[in-house]
Amino acid sequence: MFTLPETKFDFLGDEYIYAEISREMSLENNFKALAITDELRRRNIPGIIDICPANTSYLVRYDPEMITSTDLHDYLMDIDMNKSHLSEMNLLTKIVEIPTWYDDPLTREYSFKYKNRHQHPDLTDFEFAMRVNGFKERNAFIEAHSSIPYFITMTGYIPGIAWCFPLGLSKEEIIQVPKYSSPRTETPNRAVGIGGAFTAVYPVDSPGSYQLIGMSAVPVFDTGFRLEDLQNVVLARPGDIWKYRPIDEIEYRKIRSEVESGTFTYHIKEVVFSPEEYLTKGKMYIRELMEDF
């Protein structure tokens, strides 16, 4: 049986409690952060204003006139003890497909536009990501990145952005890429980038430092309410699973047209994700989870 250590709690001023499960990034620690914050939302405790899960921690904002810090700490300790076993961390979540045009002209253009901020200005971001991971062929890199699903460990800093961590791989198999030496001042909306072991889709034009490897054909953030699956504005939710699917320019343009007309439908499958089964069965569990998707 997998059991995680108790969480460290810190009071930040009169309105916040910060809970640190670990300083080490691991899916086990992230599963616990998501399970606890999900349970905290379910209990709907009066006085809690906001709940913000992160990779291996979470932050709770509360109204001290409605609930004391001591009482809230007791609630959190109770949930923490109940959610320290992986068997108690199952998540109702969804798998979402992200059609991606890898090594596209726009992200290549941005590679050269900001080459003075890059470790290797003679390479595009895509070529750099290939090189540092030992790939010599373009299609082999695309297959390696797109053949596995990614678990959203947290969202934040830009509205709609999600940190996607690869599932079912050993540390040696994970694609990892250093970020830019100095961040870009601009990144195109829907660009797909890798920073460290995380993949992210930039939801809007923004600064950024992830190495850009392609363009998502679909939005992950939309205030125009054009698509049925984006009525909540943001596509990502911590605990969701994204699967990047390689597409060519023809399919990319077709999907973009459907998005603009409001007729595009995301490929989504709702599942119950079991951290215990994942850590016990590994790749076999991922294959079972992804069946018929």
Side-chain angles (χ1 to χ4, degrees):
M1 177 183 292
F2 295 91
T3 303
L4 295 172
E6 290 185 24
T7 302
K8 176 186 175 184
F9 295 95
D10 288 308
F11 296 95
L12 308 178
D14 296 328
E15 298 182 7
Y16 297 90
I17 292 183
Y18 173 68
E20 183 182 84
I21 295 165
S22 172
R23 294 190 177 184
E24 178 185 354
M25 172 56 205
S26 72
L27 284 174
E28 296 97 313
N29 293 323
N30 183 249
F31 294 151
K32 181 173 179 177
L34 296 183
I36 289 172
T37 51
D38 279 355
E39 176 65 15
L40 198 54
R41 291 190 190 92
R42 189 190 68 79
R43 294 194 184 188
N44 196 27
I45 299 168
I48 291 181
I49 298 171
D50 202 3
I51 303 165
C52 302
N55 283 329
T56 61
S57 61
Y58 60 93
L59 182 72
V60 180
R61 184 184 180 192
Y62 63 97
D63 182 347
E65 295 186 359
M66 294 185 66
I67 185 171
T68 68
S69 59
T70 303
D71 286 345
L72 179 55
H73 179 258
D74 289 343
Y75 276 122
L76 295 178
M77 285 289 293
D78 176 61
I79 296 173
D80 186 85
M81 293 301 295
N82 289 327
K83 296 296 181 181
S84 288
H85 302 281
L86 289 171
S87 59
E88 302 296 326
M89 297 183 191
N90 286 4
L91 296 168
L92 178 60
T93 187
K94 61 182 185 292
I95 305 171
V96 184
E97 182 180 86
I98 308 295
T100 302
W101 183 10
Y102 285 88
D103 194 21
D104 66 289
L106 183 58
T107 55
R108 288 201 298 267
E109 176 187 325
Y110 271 76
S111 296
F112 292 119
K113 182 177 180 180
Y114 290 98
K115 65 181 182 179
N116 62 322
R117 298 169 182 257
H118 201 276
Q119 298 93 327
H120 288 273
D122 56 323
L123 299 175
T124 66
D125 291 9
F126 184 91
E127 292 167 339
F128 177 65
M130 283 181 56
R131 176 177 291 188
V132 297
N133 285 280
F135 289 92
K136 295 182 178 180
E137 294 185 358
R138 174 181 180 275
N139 289 340
F141 177 80
I142 294 173
E143 169 64 20
H145 184 267
S146 64
S147 62
I148 56 170
Y150 292 77
F151 189 85
I152 295 180
T153 58
M154 64 175 286
T155 60
Y157 119 79
I158 301 172
I161 201 164
W163 276 261
C164 300
F165 194 83
L167 285 171
L169 299 182
S170 66
K171 289 184 179 180
E172 295 72 27
E173 294 174 304
I174 293 175
I175 291 174
Q176 299 195 53
V177 187
K179 296 188 288 186
Y180 268 51
S181 300
S182 177
R184 296 177 301 274
T185 56
E186 184 184 3
T187 308
N189 172 24
R190 292 179 289 100
V192 179
I194 305 177
F198 291 94
T199 296
V201 180
Y202 284 81
V204 295
D205 294 345
S206 64
S209 59
Y210 278 23
Q211 306 287 344
L212 305 182
I213 61 168
M215 288 290 293
S216 166
V218 300
V220 297
F221 176 83
D222 183 21
T223 57
F225 304 101
R226 292 172 296 176
L227 302 175
E228 183 177 347
D229 296 313
L230 266 178
Q231 293 303 299
N232 290 327
V233 178
V234 172
L235 181 65
R237 184 184 63 180
D240 282 354
I241 296 168
W242 283 5
K243 178 69 165 58
Y244 297 89
R245 179 174 67 84
I247 59 174
D248 58 17
E249 180 178 1
I250 293 174
E251 186 173 2
Y252 176 87
R253 307 249 176 240
K254 177 178 179 294
I255 293 173
R256 290 303 305 149
S257 177
E258 292 175 355
V259 169
E260 292 301 323
S261 66
T263 59
F264 179 79
T265 301
Y266 291 80
H267 181 29
I268 295 175
K269 176 185 177 182
E270 292 190 350
V271 296
V272 175
F273 183 84
S274 167
E276 185 173 41
E277 284 195 69
Y278 170 70
L279 292 171
T280 302
K281 298 165 66 175
K283 291 182 180 180
M284 182 183 299
Y285 178 68
I286 294 302
R287 285 195 295 270
E288 294 171 358
L289 195 72
M290 300 300 294
E291 275 184 9
D292 303 321
F293 184 77

